[in-house]
């Protein structure tokens, strides 16, 4: 009797499984229980655009939880902008929930009213602190000055030099001063390097991790030996290390807080706001700071590392950018954001550098909060969706020969006017209501830091350039050294 009932159960499960499959946009054929995991090898995860060209911008992968992939500019814009309210939810599942110690906290992984309130307050505080204004430019310049002191003291212009730490410290100091009100000196970076290593480990370990996908599909699996260890417990233990770092930094600021004084950093301003806003608390403060530290440091510093690598691969383009900078800025002063309108080639080159590098091939999961249609495709409520930015930056028809580094593609034929169609599709920071909160800061940092470096140094490769990334949630460069030659 038992084999008979088991056979009936299996047949019914398969029938209901494929009946459920038909509810979603058509994709690669899934198998019961494992879904499309048999399609998704490590190579597929590392190159998650492999299915794009055979799909019409919207298809489903069962990972094994059904996930609808948006892979064209039109479908991504339709979901994140036109129907933003319907796609503003988060998964509330691993790997995203492994970022924070408490559910529904912060800005990146929360949704609903919590997300709206934390985002609203955080953006207002950042604006009051000068985000996008001269005050923030001055803060970035202080970090650049520290980087230049480091280069002058440690780089002789002849010996191959590693730009990794100077760039990370420069960008880390910007976000650290914004959040906590101080920056690290290059001679005392032990604590900074420790925290940075924890973040890097977390971002790398969550990619190619099938155990995380299993826990995402079946949360109870976190209690199973091996699966739970690799897919839940180990990532969570690593998270606890940088949560501890953030809590210690917040506590230092809180101890010295005087509410009668004007706040000079984000933590002070948030703590002051807590006195009059019941929607704010310490758990959310810790979470928001984690969000900003991770998003504000790792992606921008990685962008700059890729930028130097690409410019060494294209030395004639590096020289053209430098010539334009020298003709506008010269050697007697530092580059300013006010120079931007007179630097069309440099500005378009930054856009092209970000397009070619594209360290983040996708944004966080977006949960569909109600039954919705994207074109003629039905998306059921609570479906996870995946706006695949990689496919736009690397496969959109407007970017002809996408592997080539061609800054001119962001300019019209006159070499000065912005190409609006190409610029519209440069969606490295996402789109819509969930667009990166720190986009303005990141663009300012890259403009000022890269401009300052090119005005003072020439970057020369010492070996064949390897463009194959180290895979993780952020695609990083492989370690490299170069000649950093003073001009």
């Amino acid at each position: 009797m038992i084999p008979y009932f088991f056979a009936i159960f299996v047949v019914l499960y398969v029938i209901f499984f494929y009946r459920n499959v038909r509810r979603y946009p058509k994709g690669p054929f899934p198998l019961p229980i494992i879904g499309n995991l048999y399609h998704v090898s490590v190579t597929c995860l590392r190159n998650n655009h492999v299915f794009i060209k055979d799909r019409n911008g919207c298809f489903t992968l069962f990972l094994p939880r059904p996930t609808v992939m948006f892979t064209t500019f039109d479908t991504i814009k339709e979901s994140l902008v036109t129907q933003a309210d319907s796609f503003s939810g988060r998964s509330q599942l691993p790997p995203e929930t492994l970022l924070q110690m408490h559910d529904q906290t912060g800005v990146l992984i929360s949704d609903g009213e919590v997300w709206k309130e934390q985002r609203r307050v955080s953006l207002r505080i950042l604006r009051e602190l000068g985000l996008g204004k001269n005050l923030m430019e001055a803060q970035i310049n202080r970090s650049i000055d520290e980087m230049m002191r480091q280069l002058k003291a440690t780089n002789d212009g002849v010996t191959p030099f590693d730009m990794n730490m100077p760039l990370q410290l420069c960008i880390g100091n910007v976000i650290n001063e914004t959040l906590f009100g101080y920056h690290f000196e290059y001679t005392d970076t032990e604590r900074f390097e420790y925290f940075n290593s924890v973040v890097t480990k977390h971002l790398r370990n969550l990619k190619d991790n099938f155990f995380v996908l299993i826990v995402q599909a079946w949360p109870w699996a976190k209690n199973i030996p091996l699966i739970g260890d690799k897919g839940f417990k180990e990532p969570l233990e690593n998270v606890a290390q940088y949560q501890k770092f953030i809590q210690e930094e917040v506590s230092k600021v809180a101890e010295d807080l005087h509410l009668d004084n004007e706040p000079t950093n984000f933590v002070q301003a948030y703590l002051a706001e807590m006195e009059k806003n019941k929607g704010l608390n310490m758990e959310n403060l810790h979470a928001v700071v984690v969000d900003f530290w991770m998003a504000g440091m790792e992606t921008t510093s990685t962008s700059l590392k890729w930028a130097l690598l690409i410019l060494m691969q294209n030395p004639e383009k590096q020289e053209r950018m430098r010539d334009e900078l020298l003709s506008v800025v010269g050697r007697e002063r530092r580059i300013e954001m006010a120079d931007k309108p007179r630097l069309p080639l440099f500005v378009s080159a930054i856009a092209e550098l970000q397009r070619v590098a594209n360290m983040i091939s996708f944004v966080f999961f977006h949960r569909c909060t109600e039954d919705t249609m994207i074109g003629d495709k039905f998306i059921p409520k609570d479906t996870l969706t995946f706006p695949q930015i990689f496919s736009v930056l690397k496969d959109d028809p407007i970017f002809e020969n996408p592997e080539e580094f061609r800054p001119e593609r962001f300019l019209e034929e006159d070499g000065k006017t912005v190409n609006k169609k190409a610029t519209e599709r440069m969606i490295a920071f996402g789109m819509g209501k969930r667009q990166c909160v720190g986009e303005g800061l990141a663009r300012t940092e890259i403009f000022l830091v890269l401009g300052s470096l090119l005005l003072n140094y020439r970057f020369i490769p010492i070996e064949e350039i390897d463009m194959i990334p180290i895979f993780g949630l952020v695609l990083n460069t492989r370690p490299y050294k170069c000649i950093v030659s003073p001009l």
Side-chain angles (χ1 to χ4, degrees):
M1 286 293 288
I2 293 178
Y4 174 75
F5 283 115
F6 179 74
I8 292 176
F9 171 79
V10 170
V11 170
L12 289 175
Y13 174 81
V14 171
I15 290 172
F16 282 109
F17 175 79
Y18 285 110
R19 182 178 293 176
N20 184 52
V21 167
R22 289 198 296 271
R23 300 173 64 215
Y24 298 91
K26 187 177 180 180
F29 186 76
L31 296 177
I33 300 178
I34 66 171
N36 291 113
L37 290 182
Y38 75 102
H39 281 111
V40 186
S41 63
V42 168
T43 301
C44 291
L45 280 172
R46 292 174 173 178
N47 301 278
N48 51 30
H49 59 295
V50 296
F51 297 113
I52 290 169
K53 294 181 180 179
D54 295 328
R55 308 296 164 189
N56 296 317
C58 179
F59 66 95
T60 306
L61 288 179
F62 285 75
L63 297 174
R65 180 181 290 272
T67 304
V68 174
M69 314 290 284
F70 298 130
T71 62
T72 64
F73 177 75
D74 290 338
T75 54
I76 292 175
K77 183 177 180 180
E78 172 71 13
S79 62
L80 300 189
V81 179
T82 307
Q83 300 195 55
D85 290 336
S86 299
F87 289 90
S88 62
R90 286 298 195 216
S91 73
Q92 303 307 322
L93 294 164
E96 292 176 4
T97 54
L98 297 176
L99 179 65
Q100 300 291 3
M101 298 297 289
H102 303 280
D103 294 338
Q104 284 286 20
T105 53
V107 176
L108 290 182
I109 67 168
S110 63
D111 54 24
E113 293 304 315
V114 172
W115 165 65
K116 291 178 183 178
E117 182 65 3
Q118 297 304 316
R119 181 182 172 90
R120 182 189 67 81
V121 171
S122 297
L123 281 173
R124 180 171 57 77
I125 290 174
L126 290 174
R127 282 195 297 269
E128 290 173 352
L129 291 174
L131 184 64
K133 298 179 181 178
N134 292 338
L135 185 63
M136 187 58 66
E137 186 170 342
Q139 186 167 306
I140 294 170
N141 282 330
R142 287 195 291 274
S143 291
I144 292 173
D145 290 342
E146 183 71 21
M147 178 179 66
M148 292 302 183
R149 283 192 288 271
Q150 182 178 8
L151 290 176
K152 187 175 181 179
T154 58
N155 166 59
D156 60 14
V158 178
T159 307
F161 188 79
D162 186 350
M163 285 295 297
N164 178 59
M165 184 48 62
L167 289 174
Q168 287 192 318
L169 184 61
C170 179
I171 300 305
N173 269 336
V174 174
I175 194 65
N176 207 66
E177 188 168 348
T178 301
L179 295 173
F180 306 124
Y182 76 95
H183 75 254
F184 296 92
E185 295 184 0
Y186 76 88
T187 54
D188 184 16
T189 61
E190 182 178 354
R191 185 167 171 79
F192 172 83
E193 291 184 56
Y194 165 75
F195 180 69
N196 187 55
S197 68
V198 172
V199 172
T200 300
K201 180 181 177 181
H202 181 70
L203 293 174
R204 289 181 184 173
N205 286 354
L206 289 186
K207 189 76 169 174
D208 304 345
N209 193 330
F210 282 98
F211 299 110
V212 170
L213 294 177
I214 292 172
V215 173
Q216 180 193 85
W218 302 294
W220 49 264
K222 67 184 180 183
N223 299 311
I224 299 175
L226 182 62
I227 294 175
D229 291 340
K230 297 295 183 181
F232 186 79
K233 293 178 183 177
E234 288 182 10
L236 203 60
E237 288 172 358
N238 191 62
V239 165
Q241 295 180 65
Y242 65 76
Q243 286 284 349
K244 181 182 178 183
F245 175 95
I246 293 298
Q247 290 172 9
E248 289 173 351
E249 295 297 312
V250 170
S251 294
K252 291 177 187 176
V253 177
E255 288 172 3
D256 297 330
L257 177 66
H258 298 284
L259 294 176
D260 294 336
N261 297 336
E262 190 73 19
T264 59
N265 59 64
F266 182 88
V267 173
Q268 286 181 348
Y270 192 102
L271 288 168
E273 194 73 20
M274 279 174 52
E275 298 293 315
K276 50 189 176 182
N277 186 338
K278 294 182 179 180
L280 309 182
N281 52 48
M282 292 301 293
E283 288 80 10
N284 270 299
L285 173 56
H286 292 149
V288 170
V289 172
V290 166
D291 289 342
F292 286 172
W293 224 109
M294 181 174 291
M297 201 279 284
E298 187 68 22
T299 55
T300 305
S301 62
T302 303
S303 290
L304 288 164
K305 285 187 285 182
W306 278 113
L308 295 184
L309 205 60
I310 294 167
L311 291 179
M312 286 190 291
Q313 192 179 45
N314 297 271
E316 74 289 347
K317 302 291 175 62
Q318 182 183 160
E319 291 304 321
R320 285 183 59 199
M321 292 166 64
R322 183 178 291 107
D323 289 344
E324 184 185 63
L325 285 164
L326 287 170
S327 69
V328 173
V329 181
R331 298 182 183 276
E332 303 303 318
R333 66 176 177 88
R334 64 164 79 240
I335 185 173
E336 302 172 353
M337 290 306 295
D339 295 319
K340 190 173 181 179
R342 297 185 293 157
L343 295 168
L345 177 63
F346 181 63
V347 172
S348 63
I350 289 175
E352 179 70 345
L353 287 167
Q354 290 183 295
R355 186 197 67 79
V356 173
N358 185 35
M359 315 84 56
I360 303 179
S361 57
F362 51 82
V363 293
F364 281 102
F365 285 112
H366 288 245
R367 179 173 53 83
C368 184
T369 56
E370 58 186 352
D371 289 348
T372 310
M373 297 291 294
I374 295 293
D376 60 351
K377 306 292 178 63
F378 174 70
I379 316 293
K381 180 181 178 181
D382 288 327
T383 299
L384 298 187
T385 65
F386 216 40
Q388 198 166 233
I389 289 173
F390 187 102
S391 60
V392 177
L393 301 185
K394 294 298 178 71
D395 286 305
D396 192 285
I398 200 167
F399 297 126
E400 187 178 354
N401 300 321
E403 296 307 316
E404 293 182 11
F405 174 66
R406 290 199 295 111
E408 298 81 6
R409 71 173 83 244
F410 286 95
L411 296 172
E412 299 290 356
E413 291 183 4
D414 62 6
K416 298 178 180 179
T417 307
V418 173
N419 182 330
K420 293 183 179 179
K421 288 185 178 180
T423 302
E424 182 186 29
R425 283 164 169 72
M426 233 308 291
I427 57 173
F429 292 95
M431 301 179 76
K433 294 184 177 182
R434 286 282 187 176
Q435 192 163 335
C436 177
V437 174
E439 178 180 353
L441 174 60
R443 290 186 183 279
T444 304
E445 287 175 317
I446 293 172
F447 180 88
L448 295 176
V449 173
L450 187 59
S452 298
L453 287 172
L454 292 180
L455 281 166
N456 289 278
Y457 295 96
R458 179 173 285 107
F459 297 88
I460 305 167
I462 59 172
E463 57 189 1
E464 185 177 353
I465 293 173
D466 187 353
M467 295 296 288
I468 299 174
I470 296 175
F471 293 97
L473 292 184
V474 175
L475 305 184
N476 214 326
T477 63
R478 294 183 180 277
Y480 68 87
K481 292 184 178 182
C482 59
I483 302 300
V484 183
S485 176
L487 296 180

